[in-house]
């Protein structure tokens, strides 16, 4: 976790209550050394890493293109791709050496079905899709699967500022 340790601890407790092992680790994934330390801690505890789920993203804000500045883009690009790069560089060798692994990237339905005023978010998620597709081609022959899951609007802190009417409209247009 990075920002909600209490929720992460609850997840660990639920996992442990089910008879499995879990550990809360925290790192700024934009720091290569912090990621390496976090991965080393997990490997010490469990012996390996078989799955990586990357769901890091900047907060979504609807902003018209004429009001955007480069910093808006940079925040999304960094939070969506830089951390993913560091995480993948740290865990892929572990997975490749085991000839097994799963890397799951959380994309967005907006890549294929864009909405206005979300240009930085959609651009960053599009970069994530390209990263994932390219990485899948490279790692699949080595036993590591890379998948991109592109959910619709999911009730998380990420959409806290999205108006209720937009949430309801999106839900009505989503088949499942």
């Amino acid at each position: 976790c990075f920002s909600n340790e209490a929720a992460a601890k609850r997840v660990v407790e639920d996992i442990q209550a089910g008879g499995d092992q879990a550990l809360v680790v925290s790192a700024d994934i934009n720091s290569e050394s912090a990621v390496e330390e976090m991965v080393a801690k997990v490997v010490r505890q469990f012996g390996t890493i078989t799955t990586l789920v990357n769901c890091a993203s900047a907060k979504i804000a609807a902003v018209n293109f004429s009001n955007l500045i480069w910093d808006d883009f940079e925040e999304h690009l960094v939070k969506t791709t830089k951390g993913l790069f560091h995480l993948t560089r740290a865990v892929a060798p572990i997975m490749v050496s085991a000839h097994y692994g799963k890397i799951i990237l959380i994309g967005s339905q907006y890549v294929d079905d864009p909405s206005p005023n979300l240009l930085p978010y959609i651009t960053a998620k599009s970069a994530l899709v390209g990263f994932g597709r390219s990485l899948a081609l490279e790692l699949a022959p080595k036993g590591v699967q890379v998948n991109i899951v592109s959910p619709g609007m999911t009730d998380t802190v990420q959409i806290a500022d999205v108006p209720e009417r937009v949430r309801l409209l999106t839900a009505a247009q989503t088949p499942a």
Side-chain angles (χ1 to χ4, degrees):
C1 80
F2 183 65
S3 62
N4 194 341
E5 192 168 342
K9 286 180 179 178
R10 286 192 299 275
V11 170
V12 166
E13 290 168 1
D14 289 346
I15 291 169
Q16 290 172 338
D20 291 311
Q21 295 181 12
L23 171 71
V24 174
V25 291
S26 182
D28 177 356
I29 62 173
N30 292 316
S31 164
E32 185 176 13
S33 62
V35 167
E36 288 171 357
E37 288 176 30
M38 178 180 65
V39 168
K41 184 176 182 178
V42 172
V43 170
R44 274 193 308 274
Q45 177 74 26
F46 299 110
T48 193
I49 294 176
T50 60
T51 306
L52 168 67
V53 178
N54 182 78
C55 58
S57 179
K59 189 169 178 64
I60 301 171
V63 179
N64 184 281
F65 178 71
S66 63
N67 295 321
L68 286 174
I69 58 173
W70 175 249
D71 290 349
D72 298 326
F73 270 90
E74 187 171 37
E75 178 184 14
H76 278 274
L77 288 170
V78 167
K79 288 190 176 178
T80 301
T81 59
K82 186 177 182 181
L84 170 60
F85 176 82
H86 292 315
L87 287 166
T88 305
R89 292 264 305 170
V91 304
I94 297 165
M95 295 174 176
V96 167
S97 70
H99 304 287
Y100 178 83
K102 300 198 183 289
I103 299 173
I104 302 162
L105 311 180
I106 306 301
S108 172
Q109 72 177 18
Y110 288 126
V111 170
D112 294 320
D113 187 18
S115 189
N117 302 324
L118 299 176
L119 194 57
Y121 174 77
I122 294 169
T123 301
K125 288 296 187 174
S126 296
L128 176 137
V129 169
F131 182 102
R133 287 179 177 167
S134 182
L135 189 64
L137 292 172
E138 187 172 333
L139 296 182
K142 299 172 183 175
V144 180
Q145 294 179 342
V146 179
N147 294 290
I148 304 163
V149 178
S150 297
M153 196 174 291
T154 306
D155 190 17
T156 65
V157 174
Q158 182 74 348
I159 66 161
D161 295 334
V162 175
E164 184 65 22
R165 66 177 181 74
V166 173
R167 292 183 201 196
L168 293 172
L169 179 61
T170 302
Q173 295 172 342
T174 304

